[in-house]
Amino acid sequence: MAATLYIVATPIGNLEDITYRAVRILGEVDLIAAEDTRHSLKLLNHFNISKPLTSYFDHNQQFKGERILNALRQGKSVALISDAGTPCISDPGYNLVRDAVAEGIPVVPLPGACAAIAALSGSGLPSDNFTFAGFPPARQGKRRAFLADLARLPGTLVLYEAPHRLEETLRDIHETLGDRQVVVARELSKIYEEFIRGAVSGVMPAVAEGKARGEIVILIAPGEVVPEQPEALDTLLQRLLDEEGLSVKDAARKASLITGSSRNEAYSEALKLRNDAEKA
Ligand code: SAM
């Protein structure tokens, strides 16, 4: 195998969700870089894969990244895995992939389990347009600002959340985005897999009763799109005359282009405004 960095998705719960290709590549590479080697050893043992393992997690990304890059530079093949799901998706890996790409080392992603995508596909919420925004900040102020930034996006919002923060995050969603439809997808591909669906106000009591434990994805339906009111002809003309200092003729031409009103109508309105202003 030539020097290649494989980004290998592993199951998010159910071990049957590994792909044939992932098992083959993990068995063929020279080195496996794992977020937590002890955790990944269980998965590798399950599939009878015995390969040199090195850890690669946030705190030592810099150092281990260099070591992994060196192995790749020497022509070795490396598979990057995380504790669950797809590496780089709210998991370490981005820096390594970026550096490998910068050095011209081939990077090959092996598609597979990802909690965000599994949750979205089973949610029943619009999936043609969505935004995955990862974990919301832990502190309330920052979390509300984070949600407010997402408020006007047109598609479904997909978030990861820790179970002990779910209640407060739903409360902030309610406060910031209103009573939108949400889906709390928990324990995907595991025994207690569950989708809790409804308006945020309806889902909050179930969560407060402690019914949503385990690993969780929150999906938020798009808000209603409130069309922006076009600026009325007279307000627009007033602004063009007063603030932009345009002549009656130029203001009328610009306003008719913006509003679609006829040039004559815009001209008479602009003239009237200018005359009124001169009389005042
Ligand atoms: N890289 C992973 C992926 O591809 O989904 C995500 C890793 S991130 C550190 C872990 C978060 O993903 C959890 O806190 C939870 O929000 C979500 N998650 C992972 N497994 C899940 C599952 N089986 N069911 C629901 N959410 C899950």
Side-chain angles (χ1 to χ4, degrees), residues 30-270:
D30 299 306
L31 179 67
I32 297 175
E35 193 182 353
D36 175 343
T37 50
R38 273 195 301 178
H39 177 95
S40 292
L41 209 49
K42 290 184 205 146
L43 176 88
L44 298 172
N45 285 341
H46 180 86
F47 291 102
N48 292 319
I49 295 166
S50 170
K51 283 284 162 182
L53 263 177
T54 184
S55 65
Y56 181 80
F57 54 92
D58 279 334
H59 313 296
N60 70 2
Q61 265 190 29
Q62 208 68 28
F63 168 64
K64 285 292 168 90
E66 202 42 49
R67 204 170 126 182
I68 295 163
L69 283 169
N70 272 336
L72 289 160
R73 287 179 196 125
Q74 287 161 18
K76 298 204 165 126
S77 55
V78 179
L80 176 71
I81 57 177
S82 61
D83 285 353
T86 304
C88 305
I89 307 301
S90 291
D91 265 344
Y94 159 69
N95 290 332
L96 181 61
V97 175
R98 180 200 56 201
D99 292 351
V101 169
E103 293 199 26
I105 296 165
V107 175
V108 177
L110 269 64
C114 174
I117 298 300
L120 180 67
S121 65
S123 69
L125 296 181
S127 53
D128 54 338
N129 180 352
F130 67 93
T131 298
F132 171 66
F135 285 94
R139 295 193 176 215
Q140 189 183 62
K142 286 194 173 167
R143 186 166 55 228
R144 288 192 175 187
F146 164 93
L147 291 167
D149 278 349
L150 302 173
R152 293 191 68 82
L153 291 175
T156 295
L157 302 173
V158 185
L159 307 174
Y160 285 162
E161 190 51 290
H164 62 276
R165 288 209 193 95
L166 179 60
E167 199 180 336
E168 46 191 287
T169 297
L170 287 176
R171 205 182 312 125
D172 287 344
I173 290 170
H174 191 255
E175 285 287 316
T176 321
L177 307 177
D179 203 12
R180 290 203 196 173
Q181 292 293 309
V182 291
V183 176
V184 173
R186 67 177 206 96
E187 294 290 89
L188 294 165
S189 80
K190 305 186 202 176
I191 298 173
Y192 296 108
E193 176 176 288
E194 185 183 19
F195 286 84
I196 307 171
R197 300 179 166 90
V200 200
S201 57
V203 168
M204 277 171 9
V207 167
E209 282 166 28
K211 286 191 181 152
R213 300 197 193 93
E215 297 202 275
I216 281 157
V217 183
I218 305 174
L219 304 106
I220 307 166
E224 272 177 40
V225 181
V226 183
E228 280 189 16
Q229 290 293 329
E231 203 171 0
L233 179 64
D234 55 348
T235 335
L236 175 61
L237 283 167
Q238 192 85 64
R239 190 164 59 72
L240 294 173
L241 292 167
D242 295 350
E243 290 172 25
E244 295 192 21
L246 298 188
S247 66
V248 167
K249 197 169 146 208
D250 288 344
R253 187 170 29 190
K254 195 164 175 183
S256 90
L257 281 174
I258 295 173
T259 61
S261 315
S262 78
R263 187 84 63 88
N264 281 346
E265 188 194 354
Y267 187 80
S268 350
E269 184 66 32

Side-chain angles (χ1 to χ4, degrees), residues 6-20:
Y6 293 95
I7 312 301
V8 182
T10 58
I12 55 168
N14 191 326
L15 291 182
E16 290 180 14
D17 289 336
I18 199 154
T19 67
Y20 290 116

